[in-house]
Amino acid sequence: MRTPSSSAGPATPAPYGLSSEARNLHWLLTNLVEEVPGILSVAVVSSDGLLLLSSDPGRNAERPTATPSGPKGSSADLATIVSGLGSLTIGAAKLMDGGGVKQTVVAMAEGSLFVMSISDGSLLGVHATPDCDMSVVAYHMALFVGRAGHVLTPELRSELRQSMESAR
């Protein structure tokens, strides 16, 4: 198993110059994308809908697939979808007195979309192939959330937003 310092490269904008916590999150995201079969793209979105981390769809090009490598456009599109779906399900849960939303799954003919709460409103979104093993994707998302949730402080979210903005 690789460690953050021996990773072959980030799936997100270059983490150089970032804090060790930010580099670790980049490494966790890279592992999620590279190690879980069927994942096409990933986005971590703040509670206010801003993209904090994303996979690079170009890195997934080497995976043979008949489906698109991610939502049309860019990782910002996935972040928008994740944020909107998160807001919609939170509103639905309030109307139904259902408590907090833990995970949302949208199974489509040509893919699947998973949204999972990380912490204080932040969300992890995954776009996967239609033939992915949903339980494996959900399990690895839960591992990511468990590892990332406690370090996703306001300071780290600010640092990640700045790094995403400077990478554009």
Side-chain angles (χ1 to χ4, degrees), residues 52-162:
L52 299 177
L53 286 171
S54 73
S55 62
D56 178 6
R59 290 183 62 101
N60 297 329
E62 67 230 5
R63 292 185 181 189
T65 180
T67 58
S69 62
K72 295 177 183 173
S74 67
S75 56
D77 292 336
L78 179 58
T80 301
I81 294 164
V82 167
S83 180
L85 188 58
S87 294
L88 181 64
T89 56
I90 288 168
K94 285 180 183 175
L95 286 172
M96 297 175 189
D97 292 324
V101 177
K102 296 177 183 178
Q103 183 178 28
T104 303
V105 179
V106 179
M108 303 169 282
E110 298 299 323
S112 297
L113 175 64
F114 302 80
V115 179
M116 189 175 284
S117 299
I118 298 177
S119 62
D120 70 343
S122 297
L123 301 167
L124 170 64
V126 171
H127 176 221
T129 62
D131 61 344
C132 73
D133 185 331
M134 291 184 166
S135 62
V136 170
V137 173
Y139 172 76
H140 284 278
M141 288 177 69
L143 288 177
F144 180 93
V145 166
R147 293 173 180 153
H150 69 282
V151 298
L152 205 51
T153 62
E155 296 81 14
L156 183 56
R157 286 193 303 273
S158 177
E159 179 182 0
L160 291 169
R161 274 189 214 133
Q162 290 172 356

